[in-house]
Amino acid sequence: MYRKSTISVMEILEIALVAILSSNATAQSGQILDSGPIGAWDLTGYDEENTRWIGTAVLTRVSGETLTGHIDWLGSNGHCGREYVTGSYDPMIRILKMSGTRTEFSDRIVRGNYIAELSPDGSRLVNGRWSSIDPAIPGGWSGKRITFE
């Protein structure tokens, strides 16, 4: 059995805002401008018990280099849910750090700590690792920026 989720007006506005921000972050040549990790991301990952994970992350800037957003996760074991995150991005070394603050619609997902490197062209998150805030299984992850044309 699955839980039917509804999309609120705020979520629709958030998606539209991310689309606008992402389209502004793409130069005419197709190169990603230096917007840091702000925007929408397709994520893939795995944990040390061989569960494969896919997710969609939406990150926005709060102020300076402080970020907030959420990740919608789905595991190959059927576990799923939304994790809200806050974090920071250091543009000098291109490192993104995030921590889960709470979960919603959670079916056995927990809050995590995340770290990854933004690729030089801004299109990928690479060498990602996660560890636990709540008891969880460590793993690795990567991301590809979602661009809207």
Side-chain angles (χ1 to χ4, degrees):
M1 187 158 151
Y2 66 92
R3 184 179 299 163
K4 184 176 180 181
S5 64
T6 58
I7 297 176
S8 70
V9 171
M10 288 304 294
E11 288 174 313
I12 292 169
L13 291 173
E14 180 178 283
I15 291 168
L17 178 61
V18 167
I20 291 166
L21 291 174
S22 294
S23 65
N24 288 339
T26 304
Q28 289 180 350
S29 66
Q31 292 279 24
I32 304 291
L33 298 177
D34 188 19
S35 64
I38 301 305
W41 296 88
D42 279 329
L43 306 179
T44 59
Y46 61 90
D47 65 32
E48 292 179 359
E49 289 193 358
N50 295 320
T51 301
R52 298 290 175 195
W53 293 90
I54 58 172
T56 301
V58 176
L59 302 175
T60 59
R61 186 176 321 275
V62 176
S63 66
E65 300 305 327
T66 304
L67 310 173
T68 189
H70 65 269
I71 306 169
D72 292 321
W73 287 114
L74 175 61
S76 61
N77 57 6
H79 298 174
C80 61
R82 174 171 283 184
E83 179 180 12
Y84 290 90
V85 295
T86 61
S88 63
Y89 173 69
D90 184 337
M92 298 299 290
I93 56 174
R94 297 188 326 272
I95 296 294
L96 170 65
K97 293 180 181 179
M98 301 182 295
S99 292
T101 59
R102 67 184 174 95
T103 61
E104 184 177 53
F105 310 117
S106 177
D107 179 12
R108 299 183 196 157
I109 68 162
V110 297
R111 299 173 304 140
N113 287 315
Y114 303 89
I115 188 168
E117 179 182 347
L118 184 66
S119 64
D121 69 357
S123 67
R124 297 196 175 276
L125 293 167
V126 297
N127 302 320
R129 298 288 303 158
W130 70 61
S131 58
S132 64
I133 293 174
D134 301 321
I137 303 162
W141 64 282
S142 62
K144 180 181 177 191
R145 186 182 298 272
I146 299 172
T147 57
F148 302 90
E149 299 185 22

